[in-house]
């Protein structure tokens, strides 16, 4: 089985929504638990290419986790867009596509119909 490209770390109440959307999801009830999940993902084999974290957790964990890229093969760690993770309206113009483009310097196109 191949490792997921993207993993999200969110509170249990948001996890099912991401799973239903087909995203590999890790649950964390607190920022400390999110830090433990990040440590496990970084230390493990089959690492995801990017980990998107519930924004309040990443803020509480501090800057050392944000956009952590220490080696070309390391995991990119970013905050989910606020509207996606918190249920609040997203900041103007911010989407997951914009977040990925800023984080890795390449814009993805998502085809909702699933056709090539």
């Amino acid at each position: 089985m191949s490792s997921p490209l993207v993993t999200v770390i969110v509170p249990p109440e948001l996890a099912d929504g991401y799973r239903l959307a087909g995203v590999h999801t890790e649950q964390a009830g607190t920022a400390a638990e999110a830090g433990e999940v990040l440590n496990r993902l970084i230390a493990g084999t089959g690492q995801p290419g990017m980990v998107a974290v519930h924004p309040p957790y990443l803020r509480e964990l501090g800057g050392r986790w944000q956009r952590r890229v220490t080696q070309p093969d390391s995991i990119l760690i970013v905050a989910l867009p606020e509207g996606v993770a918190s249920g609040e309206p997203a900041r103007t113009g911010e989407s997951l596509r914009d977040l990925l483009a800023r984080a890795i310097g390449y814009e993805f196109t998502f085809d909702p119909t699933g056709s090539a």
Side-chain angles (χ1 to χ4, degrees):
M1 181 176 175
S2 63
S3 61
L5 177 61
V6 177
T7 294
V8 297
I9 302 174
V10 292
E13 62 271 14
L14 298 177
D16 286 342
Y18 284 97
R19 283 192 195 101
L20 286 170
V23 178
H24 182 260
T25 306
E26 296 277 347
Q27 293 184 60
T30 65
E33 288 177 16
E36 292 171 10
V37 172
L38 283 169
N39 283 328
R40 179 174 46 81
L41 291 172
I42 290 169
T45 58
Q47 299 173 340
M50 183 176 89
V51 178
V53 183
H54 185 57
Y57 291 171
L58 201 54
R59 281 193 295 271
E60 192 173 325
L61 288 171
R64 72 184 185 101
W65 289 108
Q66 293 181 19
R67 298 179 188 264
R68 179 182 169 172
V69 183
T70 57
Q71 300 172 4
D73 62 343
S74 68
I75 297 173
L76 176 64
I77 300 169
V78 297
L80 286 165
E82 288 286 341
V84 172
S86 66
E88 297 173 7
R91 291 187 290 243
T92 303
E94 185 170 39
S95 69
L96 183 55
R97 182 178 59 195
D98 296 335
L99 175 71
L100 288 169
R102 281 196 323 270
I104 63 173
Y106 187 83
E107 187 169 334
F108 287 88
T109 301
F110 295 100
D111 182 359
T113 64
S115 61

